[in-house]
Amino acid sequence: MTDEATAFAKGRRSGKGEASAALLLKAAGELLAERKSLDISLLDIAKRSGLNSALIKYYFGSKDGLLLALIERDASQAMSELDFLVHARLSAERKMKIHISGIINSYFRAPYLNRLLHYLMGDGDSAAARQIADFFVMPLIEAQRAILKQGEEEGAFRSCDPQLFYFSLVGSCDLIFQATSSLRHVLGLSGVTDDLRQRYITHVTDLCLSGLMVTPRD
Amino acid sequence: MTDEATAFAKGRRSGKGEASAALLLKAAGELLAERKSLDISLLDIAKRSGLNSALIKYYFGSKDGLLLALIERDASQAMSELDFLVHARLSAERKMKIHISGIINSYFRAPYLNRLLHYLMGDGDSAAARQIADFFVMPLIEAQRAILKQGEEEGAFRSCDPQLFYFSLVGSCDLIFQATSSLRHVLGLSGVTDDLRQRYITHVTDLCLSGLMVTPRD
């Protein structure tokens, strides 16, 4: 995605266009969730939304512009919840548990999120990659840094590098949604079911918290 | 990749063709490592190897056949080392530490491995995906299951579901090599350096072992 496309896409979404732009995003999100791939066309999106495909170019500049806006839509709510969590009057242990559930639940609600992030970030040298780093990756790391620091100050957590922690925790939450092939062969499932989601939250939370905490939890 | 292509590719690599096939794999591995993408052509591979591109079709059926053979080449040594480790006279804690280093070092040595696995496995409904599950994913899970079981029997590890453990541990090791964009924005690096590799091994090992072990390690 070019810098121009990103700037273009951001400029158009204001005022009376909001409703149509939201309809197009809703349609794209539904199609991505149903198809389990990023292989959707502008025509598919237009057809599902009941709007003209020319509006996609008008509001978002391109299909990539629309996909980026979709990530922004999905991430913005999660990020404001995360900000609220970081400032809540809870122990670091409780915050980290809620945060881990939050990551796994986000992937579960938007199964395309993962694929889309990897696709749009690519090797990191594009305007889209910089935007995603700014509104998604960096705020996540800062939130985790704050929770880890609180845990250390409470005497509950061991010292832990927040940058490395980001890759290890998000990687733990990410792969099960990405490796659909392994999931099929290992667990005989074509996707993460609600039961597996709950078991996986318990598994990652137990392992991560036991790993972080100074004293045994049992 | 079709079933026919897989069968075809496997049938040709025997006898005197071994040396040429190995040269083609070496050339493909070098190009993938240099370019940080899967975007290499049959002509590139032929040119680097000094052999005719028709030999790729002859030995491997297609570019995907060659990529699958490359994973098999890289995985086979790692898998025999893993088998040796599982049967070694070491504590489960020591085995798990060596195993985690082994996964991260494998990704470090073959930076394309990760991308290639995700690409060839796709959504899991191909001959290539089944083969990779058979020679890579399932043996990994079985090895981890054996180490986790030994750790429980030694009274050192908490009970842990080996299938869920696979996704969480491999995900932890995987993302830092895959998310080159985040790595660039978070750590200012264009790839995993040797220093980062060592720090990351320590980080994942500490977090995972502390998470698994019944008693605190310090």
Side-chain angles (χ1 to χ4, degrees):
Chain A
M1 187 171 184
T2 62
D3 286 349
E4 295 71 29
T6 315
F8 179 83
K10 289 196 83 69
R12 297 285 174 105
R13 274 172 289 137
S14 60
K16 67 179 181 178
E18 287 290 342
S20 301
L23 278 176
L24 290 166
L25 289 179
K26 182 169 175 287
E30 286 171 6
L31 287 167
L32 288 171
E34 286 164 18
R35 298 205 187 159
K36 297 184 181 174
S37 94
L38 300 181
D39 191 23
I40 56 171
S41 72
L42 298 189
L43 277 176
D44 292 335
I45 300 167
K47 199 173 168 193
R48 171 68 64 105
S49 69
L51 297 170
N52 189 302
S53 69
L55 286 175
I56 297 173
K57 295 215 168 173
Y58 180 76
Y59 291 122
F60 304 104
S62 63
K63 183 181 149 189
D64 278 4
L66 175 136
L67 296 176
L68 184 62
L70 188 64
I71 287 196
E72 273 191 283
R73 183 197 73 173
D74 291 346
S76 64
Q77 194 193 339
M79 287 302 148
S80 63
E81 284 170 9
L82 184 57
D83 189 58
F84 186 76
L85 176 68
V86 168
H87 295 97
R89 293 184 62 171
L90 294 168
S91 70
E93 179 183 0
R94 188 84 203 107
K95 286 184 186 180
M96 189 59 83
K97 281 181 183 170
I98 295 174
H99 174 50
I100 294 172
S101 301
I103 300 177
I104 294 175
N105 285 332
S106 294
Y107 282 135
F108 184 75
R109 273 197 302 268
Y112 53 81
L113 186 61
N114 191 302
R115 216 177 273 249
L116 207 47
L117 281 169
H118 290 299
Y119 165 71
L120 286 174
M121 293 198 85
D123 65 0
D125 210 12
S126 68
R130 280 195 297 277
Q131 272 188 258
I132 294 173
D134 286 345
F135 72 68
F136 194 80
V137 180
M138 298 310 281
L140 252 178
I141 292 178
E142 288 316 309
Q144 291 172 353
R145 185 194 302 276
I147 300 173
L148 290 170
K149 186 164 172 280
Q150 181 190 334
E152 261 196 86
E153 285 168 359
E154 289 170 357
F157 290 177
R158 296 184 302 119
S159 169
C160 185
D161 182 318
Q163 293 176 326
L164 304 189
F165 182 77
Y166 165 81
F167 288 105
S168 63
L169 175 62
V170 175
S172 276
C173 299
D174 175 312
L175 186 68
I176 200 165
F177 292 93
Q178 190 183 355
T180 45
S181 170
S182 301
L183 201 63
R184 185 190 300 259
H185 291 283
V186 174
L187 294 165
L189 297 171
S190 64
V192 177
T193 59
D194 193 60
D195 171 65
L196 179 58
R197 175 187 68 81
Q198 292 182 42
R199 283 171 55 217
Y200 201 63
I201 286 176
T202 305
H203 168 78
V204 175
T205 306
D206 277 358
L207 205 60
C208 180
L209 266 297
S210 300
L212 280 176
M213 295 191 78
V214 174
T215 50
R217 296 171 56 236
D218 297 325
Chain B
M1 188 170 186
T2 62
D3 286 351
E4 295 72 29
T6 315
F8 179 82
K10 288 195 82 68
R12 295 286 174 106
R13 275 174 288 137
S14 60
K16 66 179 182 177
E18 286 290 341
S20 301
L23 278 176
L24 290 166
L25 289 178
K26 182 168 175 286
E30 286 171 5
L31 287 167
L32 288 171
E34 286 164 20
R35 299 207 185 157
K36 297 183 180 174
S37 97
L38 300 181
D39 191 23
I40 57 170
S41 72
L42 298 190
L43 276 177
D44 293 334
I45 301 167
K47 200 174 166 192
R48 171 67 64 106
S49 70
L51 297 171
N52 191 302
S53 69
L55 286 175
I56 296 174
K57 296 215 169 173
Y58 180 76
Y59 290 123
F60 304 104
S62 64
K63 182 180 148 189
D64 277 4
L66 176 136
L67 295 176
L68 183 64
L70 187 64
I71 287 195
E72 274 190 284
R73 183 198 72 172
D74 291 346
S76 64
Q77 194 193 340
M79 287 303 149
S80 63
E81 285 170 8
L82 184 58
D83 189 59
F84 186 77
L85 177 67
V86 167
H87 295 96
R89 294 185 61 173
L90 295 167
S91 70
E93 179 185 0
R94 188 83 202 110
K95 285 183 186 180
M96 189 58 85
K97 283 182 181 170
I98 295 173
H99 174 50
I100 294 172
S101 302
I103 299 177
I104 294 176
N105 286 332
S106 294
Y107 282 135
F108 184 76
R109 272 196 302 268
Y112 53 81
L113 186 61
N114 190 301
R115 217 176 273 249
L116 206 49
L117 282 169
H118 291 299
Y119 164 71
L120 285 174
M121 294 196 83
D123 66 0
D125 210 11
S126 68
R130 281 195 298 277
Q131 271 189 258
I132 294 173
D134 286 345
F135 73 66
F136 195 79
V137 180
M138 299 309 281
L140 251 177
I141 293 177
E142 287 316 309
Q144 291 172 353
R145 184 193 302 275
I147 299 174
L148 290 170
K149 184 163 174 279
Q150 182 190 333
E152 262 196 85
E153 286 168 359
E154 288 170 357
F157 290 177
R158 297 185 300 117
S159 167
C160 185
D161 182 318
Q163 292 176 327
L164 304 189
F165 183 77
Y166 166 81
F167 287 106
S168 63
L169 175 61
V170 175
S172 276
C173 300
D174 174 313
L175 186 67
I176 201 165
F177 291 93
Q178 189 184 356
T180 46
S181 171
S182 301
L183 200 64
R184 186 190 299 260
H185 291 283
V186 174
L187 294 166
L189 298 172
S190 63
V192 176
T193 60
D194 193 59
D195 172 65
L196 179 58
R197 174 188 67 81
Q198 292 182 41
R199 283 171 55 215
Y200 201 63
I201 286 175
T202 305
H203 168 79
V204 175
T205 306
D206 276 0
L207 205 61
C208 179
L209 267 295
S210 300
L212 280 176
M213 296 192 76
V214 172
T215 50
R217 297 170 56 235
D218 298 324

